[in-house]
């Protein structure tokens, strides 16, 4: 009987090891560049999850200026340290701004998805679009990578994370980073793919309302 109870405890422990919250792997948009970090979309989601699902924390590992190559390099350590149940990849915008290869970007995204799944974490992808600085052909090729990656790996995704933000004029003076007014909309967009991947006990409690 004691051995049976020990086995049950070990199985429960193993099941919980790979469900320790949401890891956000993003760039300046998720790092709340130019605004108070407590007002960013990740912080808004964190507060709501703490109220409704405190045993499933939000880990914001976003870094301003991060590329897909940088995210791929950092991810193994983050997975080992935090053991998330869900990884949200919001990267690629800086690859586009720097004119880096869209195909290399796609390869990096696929490797991040593979690494996450090997660590038994689910993955969602928040896509971006690129300004037309490098010409129409590059812009189209860049945008297509997110669709191809999402379809080939079967991950839930958002084609354009800033959808509606630019139209509302909710951009900072640099024309790149969203303002504080945009954060609830970013949260709503992110939750459209994040919420269905949350543990069942955490679903249907998340809203886009802020205090």
């Amino acid at each position: 009987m004691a051995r049976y109870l020990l086995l049950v405890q070990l199985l429960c422990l193993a099941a919980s090891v790979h469900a320790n919250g949401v890891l956000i792997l993003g760039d300046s948009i998720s790092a709340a560049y130019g605004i108070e970090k407590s007002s960013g979309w990740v912080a808004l989601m964190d507060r709501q999850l703490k109220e409704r699902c405190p045993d499933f924390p939000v880990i914001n590992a976003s870094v301003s200026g991060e590329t897909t190559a940088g995210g791929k390099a950092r991810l193994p350590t983050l997975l080992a340290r935090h053991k998330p149940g869900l990884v949200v990849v919001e990267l690629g915008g800086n690859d586009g701004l720097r004119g880096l290869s869209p195909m290399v970007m796609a390869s990096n995204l696929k490797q991040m998805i593979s690494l996450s799944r090997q660590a038994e974490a689910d993955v969602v992808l928040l896509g971006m679009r690129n300004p037309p600085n490098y010409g129409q052909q590059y812009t189209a090729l860049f945008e297509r990578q997110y669709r191809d990656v999402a379809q080939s790996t079967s991950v839930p995704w958002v084609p354009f994370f800033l959808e509606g933000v630019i139209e509302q004029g909710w951009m900072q003076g640099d024309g790149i980073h969203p303002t504080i007014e945009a954060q609830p909309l970013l949260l709503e967009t992110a939750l459209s793919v994040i919420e269905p991947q949350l543990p069942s006990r955490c679903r249907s409690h998340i809203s886009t309302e802020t205090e």
Side-chain angles (χ1 to χ4, degrees), residues 3-205:
R3 288 184 179 180
Y4 173 77
L5 291 175
L6 177 60
L7 178 60
V8 170
Q9 290 174 346
L10 289 173
L11 289 173
C12 290
L13 177 61
S16 65
V17 162
H18 293 286
N20 192 28
V22 185
L23 175 67
I24 312 295
L25 188 64
D27 51 31
S28 55
I29 294 175
S30 295
Y33 177 89
I35 63 174
E36 290 290 335
K37 285 182 169 45
S38 61
S39 299
W41 77 267
V42 178
L44 298 181
M45 184 174 73
D46 181 34
R47 287 202 291 274
Q48 293 180 25
L49 271 178
K50 279 181 179 176
E51 293 177 359
R52 303 295 186 178
C53 202
D55 60 337
F56 202 73
V58 175
I59 304 105
N60 193 354
S62 303
V63 175
S64 293
E66 187 73 288
T67 62
T68 55
K72 182 183 70 174
R74 291 195 298 124
L75 184 56
T77 299
L78 292 168
L79 291 170
R81 179 184 304 160
H82 300 291
K83 297 178 175 58
L86 176 64
V87 176
V88 179
V89 179
E90 183 271 302
L91 288 171
N94 288 305
D95 295 58
L97 291 175
R98 299 179 187 184
L100 303 179
S101 167
M103 283 70 73
V104 172
M105 178 187 77
S107 176
N108 291 336
L109 291 172
K110 287 180 180 179
Q111 289 180 67
M112 282 186 276
I113 292 168
S114 178
L115 287 168
S116 299
R117 285 174 167 168
Q118 288 173 29
E120 299 185 29
D122 294 323
V123 190
V124 300
L125 179 63
L126 303 180
M128 291 299 295
R129 293 177 185 162
N130 204 54
N133 305 43
Y134 298 100
Q136 191 172 24
Q137 183 176 2
Y138 179 90
T139 301
L141 183 62
F142 174 89
E143 184 175 339
R144 189 164 67 241
Q145 301 314 305
Y146 288 101
R147 182 196 65 204
D148 292 349
V149 168
Q151 291 179 351
S152 65
T153 60
S154 299
V155 299
W157 71 300
V158 169
F160 184 36
F161 189 32
L162 298 182
E163 188 73 51
V165 172
I166 298 174
E167 292 83 349
Q168 292 286 347
W170 290 336
M171 298 297 287
Q172 297 180 39
D174 58 14
I176 298 174
H177 299 99
T179 62
I180 190 172
E181 292 81 7
Q183 302 308 307
L185 179 56
L186 292 177
L187 175 60
E188 180 180 357
T189 301
L191 284 176
S192 68
V193 288
I194 291 175
E195 187 171 358
Q197 308 307 315
L198 294 175
S200 57
R201 67 184 184 278
C202 303
R203 297 177 199 165
S204 303
H205 298 300

